[in-house]
């Protein structure tokens, strides 16, 4: 007899068992009832234990939300403040991932162009991979090198700002906050490291580097950079972009003149495709790369229209793919850098559920990093015992985690655990998240 059936018999009272043991259909029905009862009891016990944990004083002075849902049965394992709004921080990137997967093709749209008899008009799609320090993509540049036509650059299709709404102004000098644009080059950052001498990329900025012991990395209004006298690691500093600088970089890399036009040739536009889109999604999630997240939504907008606009992408995705959200988000950027963003745990779980149902499972779990009790993002190996896969989001007094939880019994759960306004360290909050998810992993 099946081990599960044998285990289940102990939940059936002996008098009833004696009456039904010779009746196979009745016996199976009794087992099903027993299993359901056992599962419900286990669910209630797990829920009660976690709810009691939330009564600990460490939760008294913070705002906490949690929603855990069984992927197969759709049962709610636990819900606490799941319909209330929280600042999501980088958990916002789950929405960006969903938007990009729903709209963009397998390879990233890298360039739009129209050819005439003697000219080729080009405009960017927002593709962030051109000469990026990690991707080092040259597909579009190689395409433009081959043409013998005059290259005419159009940059006025960018209908947005260089920074997202609500971003902290003092972050202008830090690697995680580069300017945004239609044709970003080099990731819009200067990359510096020590070889025998100081290596600078792009080399254009070599003469703009000064050695100084200071907390400042760049001047506020100009491309003057300050680097420690002893540079132990590679550092990246955002540079101030401009149409003139974009033109200059392109001319240097193409070794030919590039003209700039205010208007684009109005003929039907061709699209040049670049690197695999998944390679950008994966780095965005593993590195929590704000720049890639923001630029991806511009590529979405470019795919939908002739302009690059976050609002165009957001509106389309909310109206066409997320109109069933019970609590529509206040969604103001792609990265989560802004404190203006507001999402509920329930909305997060809906997006996680849609990703799970609409994306190949193998592909999805390759894109998402695993998460351990230290909040460490790791690349799982086939035999690894990681059971949490998802995206964290942190900023001052905020730490969130949303994703997929694999239980010992083989179930997959969707979860969103959000913590705002805490005065504890991020490490303490991570430990609380981990212990709660571990309890569910072990018992459900």
């Amino acid at each position: 007899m099946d081990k599960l059936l044998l285990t289940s018999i102990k939940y059936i009272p002996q008098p009833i068992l004696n009456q039904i043991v010779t009746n196979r259909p009745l016996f199976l029905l009794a087992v099903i009832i027993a299993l359901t009862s056992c599962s419900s009891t286990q669910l209630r016990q797990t829920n009660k234990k976690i709810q009691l944990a939330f009564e600990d004083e460490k939760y008294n002075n913070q705002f906490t939300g949690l929603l855990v849902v069984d992927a197969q049965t759709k049962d709610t394992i636990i819900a606490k403040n799941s319909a209330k709004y929280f600042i999501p921080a980088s958990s916002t990137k789950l929405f960006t991932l969903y938007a990009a997967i729903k709209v963009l093709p397998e390879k990233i749209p890298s360039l739009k162009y129209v050819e005439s008899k003697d000219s080729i008009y080009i405009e960017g799609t927002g593709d962030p991979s051109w000469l990026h320090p990690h991707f080092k993509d040259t597909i579009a540049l190689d395409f433009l090198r081959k043409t013998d036509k005059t290259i005419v650059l159009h940059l006025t299709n960018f209908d947005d700002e260089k920074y997202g709404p609500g971003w902290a102004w003092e972050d202008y000098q830090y690697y995680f906050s580069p300017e945004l644009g239609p044709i970003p080059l080099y990731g819009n950052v200067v990359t510096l490291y020590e070889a025998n001498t100081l290596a600078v990329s792009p080399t254009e900025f070599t003469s703009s580097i000064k050695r100084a012991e200071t907390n400042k990395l760049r001047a506020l209004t100009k491309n003057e950079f300050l680097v420690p006298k002893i540079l132990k690691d590679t550092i990246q500093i955002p540079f101030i972009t401009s149409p003139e600088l974009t033109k200059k970089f392109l001319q240097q890399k193409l070794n030919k003149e590039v003209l700039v036009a205010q208007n684009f040739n109005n003929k039907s536009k061709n699209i040049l495709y670049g690197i695999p889109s998944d390679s950008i999604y994966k780095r965005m999630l593993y590195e929590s790369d704000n720049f890639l997240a923001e630029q991806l939504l511009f590529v979405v907008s470019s795919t939908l229209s002739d302009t690059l606009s976050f609002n165009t992408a957001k509106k389309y995705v909310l109206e066409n793919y997320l109109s069933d959200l019970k609590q529509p988000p206040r969604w103001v950027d792609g990265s989560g850098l802004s404190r203006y963003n507001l999402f509920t745990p329930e909305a997060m779980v809906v997006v996680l559920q849609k990703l799970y149902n609409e994306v190949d499972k193998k592909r999805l779990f390759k894109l998402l990093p695993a998460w351990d009790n230290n909040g460490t993002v790791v690349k799982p190996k086939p035999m690894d015992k990681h059971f949490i896969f998802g995206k964290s989001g942190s900023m001052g007094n905020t730490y969130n985690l949303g994703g997929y939880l694999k239980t010992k019994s083989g179930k997959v759960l969707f979860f969103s655990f959000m913590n705002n306004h805490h005065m504890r360290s991020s490490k303490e909050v991570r430990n609380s998240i981990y212990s709660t998810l571990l309890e569910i992993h072990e018992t459900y």
Side-chain angles (χ1 to χ4, degrees):
M1 189 178 294
D2 187 273
K3 184 179 178 182
L4 182 59
L5 296 182
L6 286 170
T7 303
S8 303
I9 290 174
K10 66 182 180 180
Y11 295 104
I12 306 173
Q14 189 63 42
I16 298 176
L17 181 60
N18 292 337
Q19 294 179 36
I20 67 173
V21 71
T22 58
N23 189 323
R24 178 77 175 171
L26 190 59
F27 176 73
L28 291 174
L29 177 61
V31 169
I32 291 171
I33 293 171
L35 284 172
T36 303
S37 176
C38 178
S39 177
S40 298
T41 300
Q42 185 183 51
L43 180 60
R44 286 194 299 270
Q45 289 174 343
T46 301
N47 192 308
K48 184 177 180 181
K49 189 170 183 179
I50 293 172
Q51 291 287 5
L52 285 172
F54 283 130
E55 294 179 12
D56 189 285
E57 63 179 2
K58 65 189 175 187
Y59 289 105
N60 288 348
N61 294 323
Q62 70 172 63
F63 193 39
T64 306
L66 173 62
L67 180 63
V68 184
V69 174
D70 188 308
Q72 184 174 8
T73 67
K74 306 302 185 292
D75 287 335
T76 296
I77 313 305
I78 188 166
K80 178 180 176 62
N81 293 328
S82 61
K84 293 187 177 180
Y85 287 92
F86 292 78
I87 298 170
S90 280
S91 299
T92 305
K93 293 182 176 73
L94 290 171
F95 271 66
T96 298
L97 173 67
Y98 183 66
I101 283 178
K102 294 300 290 184
V103 176
L104 301 183
E106 287 186 11
K107 291 190 174 181
I108 202 80
S110 191
L111 182 71
K112 289 185 177 181
Y113 66 96
V114 171
E115 293 187 89
S116 64
K117 184 177 180 181
D118 54 5
S119 300
I120 178 169
Y121 293 80
I122 66 170
E123 67 179 12
T125 62
D127 175 12
S129 65
W130 291 35
L131 302 174
H132 186 280
H134 173 74
F135 302 109
K136 298 179 173 62
D137 175 38
T138 62
I139 292 174
L141 293 172
D142 291 341
F143 169 76
L144 294 173
R145 284 191 189 102
K146 292 176 183 176
T147 185
D148 56 1
K149 297 180 179 181
T150 301
I151 298 172
V152 183
L153 176 64
H154 178 235
L155 294 170
T156 60
N157 63 325
F158 185 69
D159 187 24
D160 229 300
E161 303 294 335
K162 290 184 176 182
Y163 296 113
W167 287 12
W169 72 267
E170 68 266 28
D171 290 344
Y172 71 88
Q173 60 182 323
Y174 299 121
Y175 73 94
F176 57 81
S177 190
E179 292 186 358
L180 310 174
I183 303 182
L185 300 169
Y186 302 97
N188 284 352
V189 295
V190 182
T191 301
L192 307 106
Y193 61 93
E194 292 282 9
N196 292 326
T197 59
L198 183 66
V200 181
S201 176
T203 55
E204 167 70 19
F205 293 120
T206 301
S207 61
S208 302
I209 308 294
K210 293 182 180 179
R211 295 281 197 167
E213 295 302 327
T214 174
N215 292 327
K216 289 289 183 184
L217 295 174
R218 198 201 80 201
L220 177 61
T221 59
K222 51 188 175 181
N223 284 322
E224 290 184 358
F225 307 90
L226 301 171
V227 181
K229 292 180 180 178
I230 299 176
L231 192 61
K232 296 180 180 179
D233 299 304
T234 298
I235 63 171
Q236 294 178 336
I237 308 172
F239 59 78
I240 299 171
T241 63
S242 68
E244 295 75 23
L245 193 57
T246 299
K247 174 185 175 180
K248 187 174 186 178
F249 283 155
L250 287 176
Q251 289 184 153
Q252 288 175 345
K253 299 305 292 186
L254 298 174
N255 196 29
K256 62 177 71 174
E257 184 180 13
V258 173
L259 304 179
V260 176
Q262 291 301 307
N263 297 306
F264 198 83
N265 188 308
N266 60 8
K267 292 182 180 179
S268 179
K269 298 174 184 176
N270 300 300
I271 298 176
L272 176 73
Y273 294 93
I275 64 175
S277 300
D278 277 9
S279 63
I280 300 178
Y281 305 158
K282 187 170 184 177
R283 185 165 180 84
M284 172 188 72
L285 295 170
Y286 270 73
E287 301 297 325
S288 199
D289 193 305
N290 300 319
F291 175 71
L292 297 182
E294 300 294 344
Q295 293 291 150
L296 277 171
L297 288 181
F298 292 138
V299 183
V300 169
S301 175
S302 173
T303 303
L304 300 171
S305 70
D306 285 332
T307 60
L308 278 61
S309 162
F310 166 81
N311 284 326
T312 297
K314 176 188 73 171
K315 183 179 179 183
Y316 181 85
V317 172
L318 289 179
E319 289 180 353
N320 290 273
Y321 302 121
L322 296 173
S323 59
D324 54 341
L325 292 179
K326 292 180 182 178
Q327 306 92 28
R330 185 185 187 191
W331 186 12
V332 305
D333 69 11
S335 64
L337 267 177
S338 177
R339 289 185 181 269
Y340 295 164
N341 287 305
L342 290 172
F343 292 74
T344 67
E346 186 175 325
M348 285 289 179
V349 165
V350 169
V351 166
L352 288 164
Q353 182 176 355
K354 287 177 182 288
L355 284 166
Y356 188 80
N357 292 337
E358 298 169 18
V359 180
D360 177 76
K361 305 293 188 298
K362 232 173 163 183
R363 178 190 179 195
L364 180 60
F365 282 93
K366 279 183 179 180
L367 293 176
L368 288 165
W371 195 86
D372 64 17
N373 60 318
N374 293 315
T376 302
V377 169
V378 293
K379 185 177 181 180
K381 298 175 183 177
M383 298 303 292
D384 282 351
K385 295 182 179 179
H386 296 290
F387 58 90
I388 302 171
F389 297 80
K391 183 72 195 76
S392 61
S394 63
M395 58 173 58
N397 313 110
T398 296
Y399 198 97
N400 311 305
L401 183 67
Y404 306 97
L405 175 63
K406 295 184 176 181
T407 71
K408 273 191 172 181
S409 66
K411 295 179 182 292
V412 174
L413 311 178
F414 312 130
F415 75 90
S416 176
F417 201 149
M418 308 188 81
N419 300 268
N420 281 188
H421 313 306
H422 60 78
M423 293 294 284
R424 297 184 289 154
S425 69
S426 292
K427 182 178 180 180
E428 289 179 278
V429 177
R430 285 198 302 269
N431 287 339
S432 296
I433 293 174
Y434 186 79
S435 63
T436 300
L437 297 180
L438 180 62
E439 174 70 27
I440 299 171
H441 165 74
E442 297 281 348
T443 60
Y444 185 71

